[in-house]
Every structure is written in C-alpha cells, then in structure tokens.
C-alpha cells in the first residue's frame, strides 16, 4: 500500500451532522440545555486516524451554513485534509438530536434533503481516491439516498482499479432504512471490499441467523478479510483458512459507548498503515475503542498516538 505523493494515506467521505445533546436525564422535551457538537461515522474515523499520526482526507458535502462551517473548521483543526470537501449553497447540513432517558439513549435525525444526501459520483475526485493507500466507506452513506449509494459504489470501483485497499463498515442504521432494504445492498458492498468491518449483531440480522458458525462460513465466502466486532470480550478476525480471537482491553470507567466502533476502525486502519498483521491491527483497534468509551462524546475522546503508546507501555500518569 503506497500512496502517491501529495495525497492523504486514507480517504473517506459520508455525512457529518450537527449534534445537540440533552444535558440531563429529562430528555429533549424537558432539558433546559443542549450541548452542541457534531458527529458522523466517517468524520469520527478521520479524526481518529489523524490523532494517531497518519494523513487522512474527508471529502464529504456540508451545507454552507453555520453548522457546516463549524464542522469543516473543526475537522481541519484536527489535521484532517478538507481540500476536497464541499460547502453547498441552498442545501442544509444534517442535524441529530440525542437524549438519554432512563438509561436508554435515542437519536433523532433531521437529514432529509441534506447536502450530504445529494452527493453524487461526479462529486468525487478520482485521482484523490486513487492516490490513497486506503479508502474507507460505510453503509450509512449508502442508506441516506440512492445517489449516496451510487457514490459509494463508484468510489469502491475507483479504489479497486487503482489498487487501493477498500475497508467497508456496514454501520447498519434501521432508522434510515428497513432491514429488507439494507440487506441486499450491504451484503453486495461486502463482496466488493478488501476488509469487511461488521458487528456480530449486524451479521445476525444480515444473514438471518444467530448461529455463529453459519455466520463465519458465510464470511469465508467473501474475498475480504472480515473483522467482526462485538464478540464476548473479543474481536474476531475471519480469514479464509482460520479465525483468530483478539481479546479486548479492559476499560476502567465506561462513560459513553458512542463512537467506540469508529475508534476501533481508526485504530485498525492505522495498524494496516503501519504494516501490522491483521491480528496486531485489531489489537490496536481494540485499545483505541476501549479508550474512547471512557469519556463522553462522539469523537472528543479519540486518543492521540502518544496516549496510545503510554497505555501500551503502562506508563504511570503523573498528576503534579
């Protein structure tokens, strides 16, 4: 995996949205204050990779509005290349509202007709993708519109033709489409990638079985290596001839599980960039994910390279 000079090692795109979160347990209806931020699987991943010391570009579309400008500036400030991102006039940035009532988190989306949903294959810079080492895409972009799905498929074609490694996270979101709509699309995209990054719960829905042996047999029919998140205290690496089990890192204080999967993917892809084996890359992904859930926020807790190294070396934190 050798990327061309002047282009980032990883390219990704998708929908990043403004995020308003109710600050107390009374929910959105009665909350007196909302915390403003932003989120999106692909932009979260981009920040995670940048913090781990590698170059990454996000080439999604945002509305030319305060939320879109905020997101663009924040990503650029995190070291993400935004040179191929677009601010669209007359098309809003998507918005999501989050609440946690009685221990149950809920997300409410306002993304219909958003700038991201209007993304088309012609918006892609083909050389930008071809110049990367890895393309990362998700099923969320495929779910938000037909043109979004067409764009994902075209990006995968560009990458494959150029010899760029393709990573695909299905990120099944049943608030965006039905399982019957999602199943053929996501399984079709899984056949086009080099690394398939599903959760075990997603696979049970997509393959219509809880039988883990049957699920893994289906995965071995893909050309991709499958990295299966969400096992009992471990992540599975399903290769054609073997299945590996990589234990989790214990999280001392679980505060917020949102963003754990994106943190895992950022760590895993970083491992691939560093030439790690699949098992070693998953180990880095597991560590990254465990660090994310120990603080609140979609991306704010993503660790830096120095923080990850300190954790691996068991360095003692000096407070004063």
């Amino acid at each position: 995996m050798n990327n061309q000079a002047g282009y980032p090692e990883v390219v990704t795109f998708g929908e990043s949205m403004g995020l308003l979160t109710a600050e107390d347990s009374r929910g959105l209806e009665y909350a007196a204050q909302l915390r403003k931020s932003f989120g999106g699987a692909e932009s979260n991943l981009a920040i995670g990779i940048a913090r781990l010391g590698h170059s990454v570009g996000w080439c999604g579309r945002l509305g030319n509005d305060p939320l879109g400008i905020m997101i663009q500036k924040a990503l650029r400030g995190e070291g993400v290349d935004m040179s191929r991102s677009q601010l669209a006039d007359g098309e809003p940035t998507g918005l999501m509202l989050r609440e946690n009532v009685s221990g149950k988190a809920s997300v409410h989306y306002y993304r219909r007709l958003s700038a991201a949903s209007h993304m088309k294959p012609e918006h892609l810079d083909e050389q930008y993708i071809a110049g990367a080492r890895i393309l990362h895409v998700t099923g969320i972009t495929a779910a938000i519109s037909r043109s979004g799905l067409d764009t994902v498929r075209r990006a995968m074609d560009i990458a494959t033709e150029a010899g760029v490694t393709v990573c695909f996270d299905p990120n099944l979101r049943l608030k965006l489409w039905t399982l019957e709509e999602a199943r053929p699309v996501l399984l079709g995209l899984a056949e086009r990638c080099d690394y398939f990054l599903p959760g075990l719960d997603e696979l049970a829905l997509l393959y219509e079985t809880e039988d883990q042996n049957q699920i893994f047999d289906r995965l071995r029919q893909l050309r991709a290596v499958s990295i299966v998140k969400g096992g009992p205290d471990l992540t599975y690496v399903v290769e054609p001839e073997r299945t590996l089990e990589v234990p989790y890192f214990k999280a001392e204080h679980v505060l917020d599980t949102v963003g754990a999967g994106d943190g895992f993917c950022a760590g895993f892809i970083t491992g691939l960039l560093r030439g790690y084996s699949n098992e070693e890359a998953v180990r880095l992904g597991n560590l990254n994910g465990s660090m994310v859930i120990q603080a609140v926020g979609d991306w704010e807790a993503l660790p830096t390279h120095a923080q990850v190294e300190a954790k691996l070396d068991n360095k003692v934190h000096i407070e004063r």
Side-chain angles (χ1 to χ4, degrees):
M1 294 189 296
N2 293 312
N3 68 299
Q4 299 179 26
Y7 294 101
E9 295 169 281
V10 179
V11 168
T12 189
F13 63 90
E15 180 162 39
S16 193
M17 296 174 287
L19 169 62
L20 298 177
T21 304
E23 288 283 67
D24 57 42
S25 60
R26 294 178 295 175
L28 288 164
E29 184 176 356
Y30 299 107
Q33 292 183 316
L34 302 177
R35 177 171 56 87
K36 178 171 71 79
S37 184
F38 67 93
E42 302 85 1
S43 55
N44 294 347
L45 173 127
I47 292 171
I49 291 173
R51 288 188 179 180
L52 290 173
H54 288 267
S55 59
V56 55
W58 185 87
C59 54
R61 300 182 86 238
L62 298 160
N64 190 11
D65 51 35
L67 286 176
I69 294 169
M70 172 195 74
I71 294 168
Q72 188 181 65
K73 286 181 177 179
L75 288 172
R76 187 180 292 124
E78 287 288 340
V80 177
D81 178 52
M82 299 294 286
S83 62
R84 296 333 189 256
S85 67
Q86 302 162 35
L87 292 176
D89 292 323
E91 299 174 12
T93 301
L95 176 67
M96 54 181 166
L97 305 181
R98 181 176 294 146
E99 62 183 346
N100 193 315
V101 181
S102 301
K104 293 184 178 180
S106 297
V107 177
H108 307 272
Y109 296 118
Y110 299 86
R111 62 202 308 177
R112 187 172 178 269
L113 302 180
S114 67
S117 72
H118 290 133
M119 191 167 196
K120 301 175 183 177
E122 50 263 39
H123 291 137
L124 297 172
D125 182 331
E126 297 193 6
Q127 186 55 51
Y128 192 69
I129 294 172
R133 295 173 65 185
I134 295 176
L135 169 72
H136 177 79
V137 291
T138 80
I140 298 173
T141 312
I144 58 177
S145 66
R146 179 52 195 254
S147 66
L149 171 58
D150 291 342
T151 305
V152 169
R153 287 173 171 161
R154 180 57 189 149
M156 295 174 95
D157 287 344
I158 295 167
T160 300
E161 292 165 6
V164 175
T165 298
V166 177
C167 292
F168 171 58
D169 187 336
N171 262 313
L172 179 61
R173 296 289 187 270
L174 294 179
K175 285 194 174 183
L176 298 181
W177 51 1
T178 67
L179 181 58
E180 289 68 29
E181 291 171 324
R183 183 179 289 116
V185 172
L186 297 181
L187 293 180
L189 293 174
E191 295 178 353
R192 302 158 66 105
C193 64
D194 299 294
Y195 285 95
F196 183 37
L197 306 170
L200 194 57
D201 56 342
E202 293 173 317
L203 291 173
L205 294 172
L206 293 174
Y207 288 139
E208 300 181 84
T209 179
E210 298 281 347
D211 188 317
Q212 191 166 296
N213 291 326
Q214 289 186 30
I215 290 173
F216 286 3
D217 285 343
R218 292 284 298 273
L219 291 175
R220 291 190 189 94
Q221 296 174 26
L222 301 174
R223 72 177 180 87
V225 172
S226 295
I227 309 300
V228 182
K229 303 162 285 185
D233 300 323
L234 51 84
T235 301
Y236 299 100
V237 181
V238 183
E239 299 175 343
E241 303 299 327
R242 62 177 182 169
T243 298
L244 304 173
E245 299 179 350
V246 185
Y248 293 159
F249 283 82
K250 183 178 180 180
E252 298 172 359
H253 306 287
V254 178
L255 295 179
D256 185 0
T257 59
V258 174
D262 302 328
F264 169 85
C265 290
F268 173 72
I269 289 175
T270 296
L272 295 182
L273 293 172
R274 295 177 183 173
Y276 292 1
S277 67
N278 291 333
E279 184 176 3
E280 291 171 326
V282 167
R283 185 169 181 263
L284 180 56
N286 283 346
L287 175 57
N288 220 49
S290 75
M291 295 176 75
V292 168
I293 64 178
Q294 298 184 64
V296 176
D298 281 36
W299 54 269
E300 291 86 345
L302 287 161
T304 64
H305 173 68
Q307 290 169 328
V308 167
E309 291 300 309
K311 189 75 171 180
L312 288 173
D313 294 339
N314 293 315
K315 290 182 179 178
V316 177
H317 173 65
I318 299 174
E319 182 177 349
R320 299 171 188 265

